[in-house]
Short mmCIF file of all heavy atoms in Angstrom, two decimals:
data_model
loop_
_atom_site.label_atom_id
_atom_site.label_comp_id
_atom_site.label_asym_id
_atom_site.label_seq_id
_atom_site.Cartn_x
_atom_site.Cartn_y
_atom_site.Cartn_z
N ILE A 335 34.37 18.24 -14.69
CA ILE A 335 35.68 17.83 -15.26
C ILE A 335 36.36 18.88 -15.84
O ILE A 335 37.63 19.03 -15.76
CB ILE A 335 35.30 16.52 -16.22
CG1 ILE A 335 34.83 15.39 -15.28
CG2 ILE A 335 36.60 16.30 -17.07
CD1 ILE A 335 34.41 14.16 -16.16
N LEU A 336 35.66 19.77 -16.56
CA LEU A 336 36.32 20.92 -17.18
C LEU A 336 36.95 21.77 -16.23
O LEU A 336 38.03 22.28 -16.51
CB LEU A 336 35.09 21.66 -18.01
CG LEU A 336 35.66 22.90 -18.84
CD1 LEU A 336 36.60 22.37 -19.96
CD2 LEU A 336 34.40 23.70 -19.47
N ALA A 337 36.37 22.00 -15.09
CA ALA A 337 36.90 22.85 -13.98
C ALA A 337 38.15 22.30 -13.59
O ALA A 337 39.19 22.96 -13.40
CB ALA A 337 35.94 22.99 -12.81
N PHE A 338 38.14 20.91 -13.33
CA PHE A 338 39.44 20.31 -12.95
C PHE A 338 40.51 20.35 -14.02
O PHE A 338 41.68 20.41 -13.62
CB PHE A 338 39.09 18.86 -12.42
CG PHE A 338 40.35 18.16 -11.74
CD1 PHE A 338 40.71 18.55 -10.55
CD2 PHE A 338 41.05 17.29 -12.55
CE1 PHE A 338 41.84 17.94 -9.94
CE2 PHE A 338 42.11 16.61 -11.84
CZ PHE A 338 42.58 17.05 -10.62
N MET A 339 40.04 20.06 -15.19
CA MET A 339 41.07 20.06 -16.24
C MET A 339 41.80 21.52 -16.35
O MET A 339 42.92 21.63 -16.61
CB MET A 339 40.39 19.77 -17.65
CG MET A 339 40.16 18.27 -17.70
SD MET A 339 41.60 17.30 -17.49
CE MET A 339 40.87 15.71 -17.15
N LEU A 340 41.01 22.55 -16.19
CA LEU A 340 41.51 23.92 -16.27
C LEU A 340 42.44 24.14 -15.08
O LEU A 340 43.48 24.73 -15.23
CB LEU A 340 40.39 24.91 -16.18
CG LEU A 340 39.60 25.08 -17.58
CD1 LEU A 340 38.22 25.82 -17.28
CD2 LEU A 340 40.43 25.93 -18.51
N TYR A 341 42.11 23.57 -13.95
CA TYR A 341 43.05 23.69 -12.70
C TYR A 341 44.27 22.93 -13.02
O TYR A 341 45.37 23.49 -12.80
CB TYR A 341 42.32 23.05 -11.52
CG TYR A 341 43.29 22.80 -10.40
CD1 TYR A 341 43.73 24.09 -9.72
CD2 TYR A 341 43.65 21.59 -10.04
CE1 TYR A 341 44.61 23.98 -8.53
CE2 TYR A 341 44.64 21.44 -8.92
CZ TYR A 341 45.04 22.65 -8.31
OH TYR A 341 45.92 22.48 -7.24
N SER A 342 44.27 21.81 -13.69
CA SER A 342 45.42 21.00 -14.02
C SER A 342 46.25 21.72 -14.95
O SER A 342 47.49 21.66 -14.85
CB SER A 342 45.04 19.56 -14.54
OG SER A 342 44.29 18.90 -13.61
N LEU A 343 45.53 22.45 -15.90
CA LEU A 343 46.32 23.13 -16.93
C LEU A 343 47.07 24.25 -16.27
O LEU A 343 48.20 24.62 -16.61
CB LEU A 343 45.35 23.74 -18.02
CG LEU A 343 45.93 24.65 -19.09
CD1 LEU A 343 46.82 23.80 -20.01
CD2 LEU A 343 44.78 25.36 -19.83
N SER A 344 46.51 24.94 -15.22
CA SER A 344 47.18 25.97 -14.54
C SER A 344 48.44 25.42 -13.84
O SER A 344 49.45 26.13 -13.70
CB SER A 344 46.22 26.67 -13.46
OG SER A 344 46.21 25.95 -12.34
N LEU A 345 48.32 24.16 -13.38
CA LEU A 345 49.47 23.52 -12.68
C LEU A 345 50.60 23.21 -13.67
O LEU A 345 51.79 23.51 -13.47
CB LEU A 345 49.05 22.29 -11.96
CG LEU A 345 48.27 22.33 -10.70
CD1 LEU A 345 47.92 20.95 -10.16
CD2 LEU A 345 48.91 23.07 -9.65
N ILE A 346 50.17 22.73 -14.79
CA ILE A 346 51.17 22.47 -15.82
C ILE A 346 51.90 23.73 -16.33
O ILE A 346 53.16 23.81 -16.47
CB ILE A 346 50.47 21.78 -17.03
CG1 ILE A 346 50.01 20.36 -16.67
CG2 ILE A 346 51.45 21.66 -18.23
CD1 ILE A 346 48.96 19.66 -17.66
N SER A 347 51.00 24.80 -16.48
CA SER A 347 51.63 26.00 -16.96
C SER A 347 52.64 26.59 -15.97
O SER A 347 53.66 27.14 -16.16
CB SER A 347 50.47 27.09 -17.08
OG SER A 347 49.51 26.59 -17.93
N THR A 348 52.37 26.41 -14.65
CA THR A 348 53.21 26.82 -13.44
C THR A 348 54.55 26.23 -13.61
O THR A 348 55.56 26.81 -13.44
CB THR A 348 52.57 26.42 -12.15
OG1 THR A 348 51.18 26.88 -12.04
CG2 THR A 348 53.30 27.18 -10.93
N VAL A 349 54.43 24.86 -13.84
CA VAL A 349 55.84 24.20 -14.05
C VAL A 349 56.42 24.61 -15.23
O VAL A 349 57.67 24.89 -15.34
CB VAL A 349 55.54 22.70 -14.02
CG1 VAL A 349 56.82 21.88 -14.30
CG2 VAL A 349 54.85 22.17 -12.69
N ALA A 350 55.73 24.74 -16.41
CA ALA A 350 56.26 25.08 -17.70
C ALA A 350 56.93 26.45 -17.73
O ALA A 350 57.90 26.67 -18.42
CB ALA A 350 55.21 24.96 -18.73
N GLU A 351 56.28 27.45 -16.92
CA GLU A 351 56.89 28.81 -17.00
C GLU A 351 58.27 28.83 -16.42
O GLU A 351 58.98 29.85 -16.68
CB GLU A 351 55.87 29.70 -16.17
CG GLU A 351 56.00 29.50 -14.69
CD GLU A 351 55.01 30.35 -13.91
OE1 GLU A 351 54.16 30.95 -14.51
OE2 GLU A 351 55.19 30.37 -12.72
N GLY A 352 58.66 27.92 -15.68
CA GLY A 352 60.02 27.88 -15.12
C GLY A 352 60.95 27.48 -16.17
O GLY A 352 62.27 27.77 -16.01
N PHE A 353 60.60 26.90 -17.28
CA PHE A 353 61.52 26.49 -18.33
C PHE A 353 61.57 27.44 -19.58
O PHE A 353 62.52 27.63 -20.13
CB PHE A 353 61.16 25.00 -18.77
CG PHE A 353 61.33 23.91 -17.70
CD1 PHE A 353 60.24 23.55 -16.92
CD2 PHE A 353 62.56 23.53 -17.36
CE1 PHE A 353 60.40 22.67 -15.96
CE2 PHE A 353 62.75 22.65 -16.31
CZ PHE A 353 61.64 22.13 -15.57
#
Side-chain angles (χ1 to χ4, degrees):
Chain A
I335 290 171
L336 184 64
F338 186 74
M339 287 304 166
L340 285 165
Y341 169 73
S342 300
L343 179 66
S344 80
L345 289 179
I346 293 165
S347 304
T348 313
V349 176
E351 72 183 13
F353 296 99

